[in-house]
Amino acid sequence: MKIVIVGAVAGGASAAARARRLNEEAEIILIERGAEPSFANCGLPYYVGGEIEIRDKLLVAPAAQLRQRHRLDVRTRQEVTYINRDSQSITVRNLETGESYTETYDRLIISTGASPFRPPIPGIDSPHVLELRDLTDADRMHELVTTGGSRRAVIVGAGFIGIEVAENLVRRGLNVTVVELVDQILPPWDAEMVRPLEDHLREQGVSLRLNDSAEAFEDNPTADGNLTVRLKSGASIPACFAVVCIGVRPESKLAADAGIECGPRGGIITNDHMQTNDPHIYAVGDVAQVKDFLTGEPTQIPLAGPANRQGRIAADHIFGRNSTYRGTQGTAVVGVFGKTAAMTGHSEKLLRRANRSHRKIYIHPNDHAGYYPGASQMTLKLLFNPEDGRIWGAQAVGKNGVDKRIDVIAMAIHGGMTVYDLEEVELCYAPQYGSAKDPVNMAGFVASGVLRGDHPVTHVPELQSPPKSPDWFVLDVRTQREFDAGNIGDATNIPLEELRERLAEIPQDRRIAVYCFVGQRGYMATRLLKHNGFDVFNLSGGYRTWQQHHSTETES
């Protein structure tokens, strides 16, 4: 068996190593366009920022190791330019010599990844407009921030890479502006969930220009840099360099030119074994179209974990094992100056676009027991099916313990669990790590209470100030001091401890929207009022969630 793998990094390198473990006799050729076959591309921003000090730490599996340990034929700085499916051969160009040659295969695995999207903006080909895809890009940026006297940078795009690059350039002492087309950073998240991170970025000195976009890059040497970035809003920002981070596109032209079927977003279409429409050819990683784990619908989600699994599955299938790819959930995490945002499954915006029925709840628990020193609060949003409680997705933002909770919920989604299961799941507890009622349990309690009718909730959009509907009576059950420090307009303040004695002040003929700071006292008030015959709803997540919805600053 002769296996040729086009492209290494995550999916291709995993496929090669797995194939060797399954068969000692197979001829395995790994062809990589870059100088290194397997590197940690997720670590590139942290090398630029100095968190990773030694460049070689980014080399997950150097070429020499792959050759010696796995007996692979590793060919770097070589590019496959053509696939001839009839003869089961490829044309390869040596990028060092310019010479081309032909190589045959029994099975071909395409792992060419995705390339940064570079729209046709005037001046985007300037040497001062960078991207961050591979080690060469990282080396160039690293040199600029360590030896080039760079002081200002503009990041175009506030997704994962854009935010990570911004953080690391600030750590290098640069003045950083992030420009984002939509009204929030981290577009896969729901907007209200990332408002605290936007505030945190501003506190760290990052200028955010949301609802804006780059319209031109002009080479313009001045005292403030080499480049002027002109925005759609009319603003002009001087910079030493700009970094374009506005998404990636599957690098599937090689496959498409060979007649291999691709989806509407360019991803190579595969079956559950990662086979293309040609049974001798597989596709893995960011170049492959995947299926949504929750719906089975085709999607394009570039993530390293799925790429590694897909490489293993392709190798398994080549050697007769019935491995299948179950789909991608979109489980992801990003760090921002000591804070963390993580998500899994579907966001509310995605559920709305798909017109999929859903309910949601917000909680703001501590990462560990409040009486133990160092506890910090997180915000967790849970989305679920109102019919059966099946979990659609979750998002969390905070300082500590965020990734742990989202990982647990990701496993729950993968196992087909419901919000009722989250109530019962047993998680490890000691005061420095969690609480006896873990945030995951708490999310289950609240969501299950909503579905059982024990905990009717309302949400911020239904209570915009002034209220959309005149029949709402908004009741704040916090202390007078808390109320005076900030409240929802038109709210009436009756502290929870006084509520039983002041029921006569609450109208019986209106819907009652109760809130406290994070929702717990609001829940208690809701139960009390419900027992007294009121039509009452708790504002999910309380005043803290209200604040997150109303933090709408677009530039700093």
Side-chain angles (χ1 to χ4, degrees):
M1 175 72 73
K2 182 178 181 180
I3 303 170
V4 175
I5 303 170
V6 184
V9 191
S14 293
R18 177 66 170 171
R20 174 57 74 221
R21 291 194 296 272
L22 294 176
N23 190 296
E24 184 63 25
E25 305 302 323
E27 181 182 1
I28 304 171
I29 303 172
L30 184 61
I31 301 174
E32 167 57 41
R33 182 171 55 192
E36 299 291 346
S38 182
F39 63 91
N41 52 3
C42 294
L44 297 179
Y46 303 97
Y47 170 62
V48 170
E51 285 289 303
I52 298 173
E53 296 180 357
I54 301 172
R55 182 183 185 275
D56 284 355
K57 293 287 188 181
L58 295 170
L59 305 181
V60 178
Q65 182 186 103
L66 292 173
R67 293 183 183 114
Q68 295 165 8
R69 182 174 296 178
H70 299 291
R71 293 297 187 267
L72 303 178
D73 182 352
V74 180
R75 305 177 187 179
T76 57
R77 296 293 295 149
Q78 299 192 30
E79 181 178 23
V80 176
T81 58
Y82 183 70
I83 300 171
N84 188 324
R85 293 168 55 196
D86 293 333
S87 63
Q88 289 189 208
S89 66
I90 57 173
T91 301
V92 186
R93 180 162 58 96
N94 187 315
L95 298 178
E96 301 290 350
T97 67
E99 297 176 350
S100 294
Y101 64 92
T102 299
E103 191 70 67
T104 61
Y105 63 84
D106 295 316
R107 296 292 185 272
L108 182 70
I109 301 176
I110 301 173
S111 179
T112 46
S115 56
F117 178 57
R118 292 177 71 87
I121 299 173
I124 198 168
D125 294 325
S126 164
H128 305 298
V129 179
L130 314 180
E131 57 192 33
L132 189 59
R133 184 194 186 192
D134 56 28
L135 284 166
T136 301
D137 297 331
D139 288 339
R140 184 180 177 196
M141 202 178 301
H142 186 274
E143 182 179 8
L144 284 172
V145 300
T146 56
T147 64
S150 297
R151 298 178 304 279
R152 296 175 177 271
V154 173
I155 314 299
V156 181
F160 292 98
I161 299 297
I163 293 301
E164 290 170 347
V165 170
E167 176 187 25
N168 282 282
L169 293 183
V170 169
R171 291 192 188 281
R172 288 292 192 183
L174 273 70
N175 182 305
V176 176
T177 298
V178 176
V179 180
E180 171 56 50
L181 179 64
V182 299
D183 64 351
Q184 66 171 93
I185 66 168
L186 299 173
W189 273 257
D190 291 323
E192 77 280 5
M193 292 299 293
V194 295
R195 296 300 184 212
L197 294 185
E198 293 171 0
D199 294 339
H200 189 54
L201 281 164
R202 294 185 180 103
E203 290 168 1
Q204 299 298 320
V206 177
S207 175
L208 297 181
R209 302 196 67 98
L210 307 177
N211 277 320
D212 212 341
S213 59
E215 289 211 323
F217 301 98
E218 298 175 359
D219 288 329
N220 184 26
T222 67
D224 291 320
N226 307 302
L227 190 72
T228 297
V229 183
R230 302 205 180 277
L231 305 184
K232 184 178 180 180
S233 63
S236 296
I237 307 174
C240 298
F241 61 89
V243 188
V244 176
C245 307
I246 52 179
V248 296
R249 299 293 185 272
E251 204 163 314
S252 56
K253 185 176 185 301
L254 177 69
D257 289 347
I260 296 171
E261 294 179 358
C262 297
R265 296 175 64 182
I268 299 173
I269 297 173
T270 63
N271 62 18
D272 290 346
H273 307 297
M274 308 313 299
Q275 275 179 308
T276 70
N277 58 301
D278 184 325
H280 299 98
I281 301 177
Y282 296 73
V284 302
D286 294 353
V287 73
Q289 176 180 283
V290 296
K291 68 178 181 181
D292 185 304
F293 176 79
L294 285 161
T295 66
E297 297 172 356
T299 188
Q300 200 76 40
I301 304 176
L303 292 169
N308 277 280
R309 293 196 298 278
Q310 292 161 20
R312 289 173 54 89
I313 288 166
D316 278 356
H317 193 257
I318 287 172
F319 288 107
R321 299 198 174 197
N322 191 32
S323 295
T324 59
Y325 186 64
R326 300 179 184 181
T328 300
Q329 289 175 216
T331 306
V333 63
V334 62
V336 185
F337 292 109
K339 290 189 180 292
T340 302
M343 71 179 301
T344 188
H346 291 181
S347 64
E348 184 178 6
K349 66 176 70 170
L350 184 60
L351 292 168
R352 287 183 179 276
R353 282 200 297 266
N355 198 28
R356 190 161 291 119
S357 179
H358 63 278
R359 296 293 298 273
K360 64 182 177 181
I361 59 98
Y362 300 88
I363 61 173
H364 303 281
N366 286 333
D367 68 297
H368 64 251
Y371 64 82
Y372 190 88
S376 61
Q377 196 173 64
M378 69 179 74
T379 296
L380 194 155
K381 178 179 184 178
L382 187 68
L383 296 142
F384 50 96
N385 188 326
E387 301 300 323
D388 57 12
R390 183 185 178 198
I391 304 164
W392 285 129
Q395 299 168 50
V397 177
K399 185 177 180 181
N400 300 315
V402 167
D403 54 338
K404 170 183 175 179
R405 275 63 190 212
I406 291 300
D407 279 343
V408 170
I409 296 173
M411 286 296 295
I413 292 174
H414 202 80
M417 296 170 71
T418 69
V419 297
Y420 305 113
D421 295 311
L422 296 187
E423 288 184 294
E424 304 297 334
V425 66
E426 182 178 329
L427 302 172
C428 61
Y429 161 62
Q432 66 269 46
Y433 297 109
S435 299
K437 295 177 182 178
D438 190 85
V440 172
N441 299 128
M442 294 303 300
F445 294 149
V446 176
S448 298
V450 168
L451 294 185
R452 293 188 181 109
D454 294 334
H455 189 178
V457 296
T458 188
H459 296 286
V460 171
E462 300 168 38
L463 294 178
Q464 298 295 340
S465 182
K468 289 182 178 180
S469 175
D471 64 347
W472 278 112
F473 178 84
V474 183
L475 176 62
D476 186 321
V477 296
R478 298 175 298 159
T479 66
Q480 183 70 49
R481 182 177 179 178
E482 289 176 285
F483 182 81
D484 291 343
N487 58 76
I488 296 175
D490 297 332
T492 297
N493 179 223
I494 303 178
L496 176 62
E497 291 74 14
E498 303 174 15
L499 189 56
R500 288 180 176 85
E501 290 71 38
R502 297 175 61 180
L503 292 177
E505 299 176 35
I506 303 172
Q508 290 275 2
D509 58 347
R510 297 172 68 183
R511 288 187 296 169
I512 312 302
V514 176
Y515 75 91
C516 61
F517 186 60
V518 297
Q520 185 176 22
R521 284 173 290 173
Y523 168 61
M524 295 174 185
T526 300
R527 295 301 302 161
L528 190 162
L529 293 173
K530 191 175 176 67
H531 283 306
N532 282 275
F534 289 92
D535 185 17
V536 60
F537 302 83
N538 187 21
L539 177 61
S540 187
Y543 188 64
R544 184 176 177 88
T545 298
W546 174 275
Q547 290 175 309
Q548 289 180 207
H549 276 77
H550 288 81
S551 176
T552 56
E553 187 176 2
T554 58
E555 84 177 77
S556 61

